Amino acid sequence: MFPRGRKLLLGVAGGISAYKSCDLLRRLQDEGFIVDVVPTAASLNFVGKSTWEALSGRKVITDLWSDVETVPHISMAKESDLIVIAPTTADLLAKLASGRADDLLTNIVLASTAPKILVPAMHSEMWLNPATVANVKLLQERGFFIITPDVGQMTGSDIGIGRYPESSRIITEINLHVMNSADLKGKKILITAGGTREPIDPIRFIGNRSSGKQGFALAMAAASRGAQVHLVSANTDLPIIEGITTTYVETAEQMASVLQIEFPHSDALIMSAAVADVRVANYSDQKIRKEGLNQVDLEKNPDILKTLSGIKKSGQIIVGFAAETSADIASLEQSGHEKLASKSLDLIYVNNVSNGAIFGSDQTQGLIIDNQKKVIKVPEISKDTLSDILLDQLVSKLG
Ligand code: CTP
């Protein structure tokens, strides 16, 4: 399974190596993860709550009975894209294997569908005990990824298997086994979302129904695949995505000028925003009275995609979107081919937004068309899933 974003929950159980997770937390932040720490009550004997709050820069909740009104075990389970528990003690392995939920961390684990990585650390005898071995096997069968402990010196003088691994090994294992689709690492992806608005006067504007959900889903998916994402958002009501650079614009001209600056040093542009084709010729800085509204003169906005295709360097990829109002697949496909060709795109996603479909919805359906005339029919799926399918195509074009 692949995490949808970069929000990581770091569980810390009550082993002496809990102090090593302070370094792990720092290294995870260096990797671009936003980390919430959930220490068990026992672990607070080794590292206190204040340390975790200072290091993570985030509020730390340590028990089920804090902030009850926000139902933290459910909200944290939903918001976390990945759970790493380091160290995981023998006791916690046993609890997880039997599905127990008697504290905040075990409740979150039970409620979460995110990938889970356990970093057991304990004395060799405990690690090799048949009970622990059976618990580890059961957890693996249930999809937990276990990073086997290192061999080396234990807390005392004895040497054996059970040591907490170096942070660098844990990070490598996360990247290899969970973030193994980090196929956009090192790539800079520019994504537009929402719909531009063209002001008529201080009160009114010409706009469209785009919610920005698709662009935000793409930004999240690209970031979770390792890309450095710059999101240009036009008039959306969506919450900011932590860790993603976002520029807010209102009009097509503002969007065009941000993209003119950002596109030359990006590897790809995904233009999912709905851009107004026209703007008001004579903006009035005073409210226009109703008698004056019989006619509003319009002038053409620049076609942003066409302009940027003109300065595109080899290796750069441009993805367009097209919202159409035809249920007929053949005409949808034809308009996709035409727009792809006229705007010199590498890929286009064309969809039918008639009767209130798709705009504002979490679901989408349509056609992906590429510059080799390959057509992929997309049945009704979530905008998150479409994001990954489109990014798969983008990755193959980026080489
Ligand atoms: N687009 C753009 N600049 C514009 C208008 C559209 O860059 N001024 C982009 C959109 O962001 C989208 C693609 O072009 O990715 C197709 O947009 P669409 O509105 O479907 O196409 P238009 O060329 O505007 O054609 P029409 O409105 O006539 O269907």
Side-chain angles (χ1 to χ4, degrees):
M1 209 199 313
F2 177 72
R4 290 235 43 84
R6 307 285 292 175
K7 270 197 117 180
L8 187 149
L9 188 142
L10 176 61
V12 182
I16 175 69
S17 57
Y19 76 93
K20 295 186 178 177
S21 289
C22 298
D23 178 63
L24 177 65
L25 167 59
R26 282 287 197 229
R27 302 289 79 79
L28 289 166
Q29 289 168 327
D30 292 345
E31 288 290 301
F33 287 105
I34 296 152
V35 186
D36 279 308
V37 183
V38 179
T40 63
S43 79
L44 295 173
N45 290 307
F46 296 111
V47 182
K49 175 177 162 172
S50 316
T51 304
W52 294 123
E53 288 193 328
L55 290 177
S56 69
R58 297 170 75 81
K59 185 177 173 188
V60 170
I61 306 176
T62 56
D63 68 282
L64 266 174
W65 310 112
S66 308
D67 293 2
V68 176
E69 73 285 2
T70 65
V71 201
H73 66 290
I74 298 299
S75 57
M76 293 179 90
K78 278 203 182 124
E79 283 166 16
S80 304
D81 302 304
L82 176 63
I83 294 179
V84 176
I85 305 180
T88 310
T89 56
D91 179 55
L92 185 55
L93 286 172
K95 269 193 195 169
L96 295 176
S98 57
R100 289 193 56 193
D102 63 353
D103 65 2
L104 181 59
L105 182 58
T106 47
N107 270 274
I108 292 171
V109 172
L110 215 52
S112 162
T113 55
K116 297 168 195 83
I117 298 186
L118 305 181
V119 185
M122 62 199 74
H123 273 83
S124 311
E125 293 80 1
M126 295 172 84
W127 174 248
L128 297 171
N129 186 294
T132 306
V133 171
N135 289 333
V136 166
K137 186 165 174 283
L138 183 61
L139 288 166
Q140 282 171 323
E141 284 163 8
R142 291 189 184 154
F144 286 75
F145 183 76
I146 314 279
I147 299 182
T148 45
D150 276 353
V151 175
Q153 184 157 11
M154 300 285 112
T155 317
S157 57
D158 45 339
I159 291 177
I161 187 166
R163 260 176 77 88
Y164 186 110
E166 294 298 322
S167 301
S168 56
R169 190 184 143 217
I170 299 174
I171 303 273
T172 307
E173 299 258 20
I174 291 174
N175 282 327
L176 271 177
H177 297 284
V178 184
M179 301 292 290
N180 59 356
S181 297
D183 47 10
L184 286 171
K185 207 171 170 80
K187 301 290 180 197
K188 191 167 175 223
I189 314 278
L190 193 53
I191 299 172
T192 65
T196 63
R197 284 180 185 170
E198 307 300 325
I200 299 171
D201 64 16
I203 292 158
R204 308 173 181 100
F205 60 82
I206 298 172
N208 61 67
R209 295 184 189 279
S210 175
S211 65
K213 283 186 177 176
Q214 184 62 74
F216 273 58
L218 278 159
M220 189 77 134
S224 73
R225 292 167 77 145
Q228 187 193 336
V229 176
H230 187 151
L231 179 62
V232 182
S233 167
N235 311 298
T236 59
D237 281 335
L238 301 170
I240 188 163
I241 310 177
E242 285 183 82
I244 291 185
T245 306
T246 307
T247 304
Y248 293 93
V249 298
E250 184 184 7
T251 65
E253 273 187 310
Q254 288 166 0
M255 181 173 278
S257 52
V258 173
L259 298 184
Q260 283 279 358
I261 296 167
E262 294 299 323
F263 179 63
H265 52 91
S266 298
D267 296 287
L269 165 68
I270 308 179
M271 193 76 184
S272 69
V275 181
D277 290 311
V278 289
R279 61 173 171 255
V280 175
N282 304 305
Y283 170 75
S284 163
D285 57 12
Q286 296 298 310
K287 181 180 181 186
I288 304 173
R289 296 291 157 198
K290 49 184 167 294
E291 301 75 32
L293 277 174
N294 294 340
Q295 186 178 334
V296 176
D297 290 333
L298 303 174
E299 60 191 17
K300 279 255 154 56
N301 265 329
D303 188 313
I304 304 177
L305 273 185
K306 256 191 195 163
T307 314
L308 295 178
S309 292
I311 59 163
K312 174 178 148 172
K313 293 185 296 255
S314 103
Q316 283 185 304
I317 302 296
I318 302 188
V319 183
F321 271 67
E324 304 293 342
T325 49
S326 168
D328 174 37
I329 295 283
S331 77
L332 213 54
E333 187 178 331
Q334 189 189 342
S335 121
H337 284 298
E338 283 168 9
K339 285 188 182 171
L340 181 134
S342 76
K343 299 183 190 230
S344 310
L345 307 177
D346 299 281
L347 280 167
I348 193 163
Y349 179 67
V350 47
N351 53 16
N352 168 25
V353 299
S354 313
N355 305 319
I358 298 173
F359 277 149
S361 164
D362 292 331
Q363 301 289 111
T364 183
Q365 71 179 84
L367 301 171
I368 298 173
I369 303 176
D370 83 346
N371 51 2
Q372 308 295 311
K373 295 195 163 38
K374 181 173 84 177
V375 179
I376 302 173
K377 191 161 184 270
V378 179
E380 188 171 352
I381 53 173
S382 72
K383 288 183 175 174
D384 290 340
T385 307
L386 175 73
S387 301
D388 272 323
I389 297 172
L390 264 178
L391 291 176
D392 289 344
Q393 298 302 312
L394 177 69
V395 166
S396 69
K397 302 255 170 234
L398 278 168

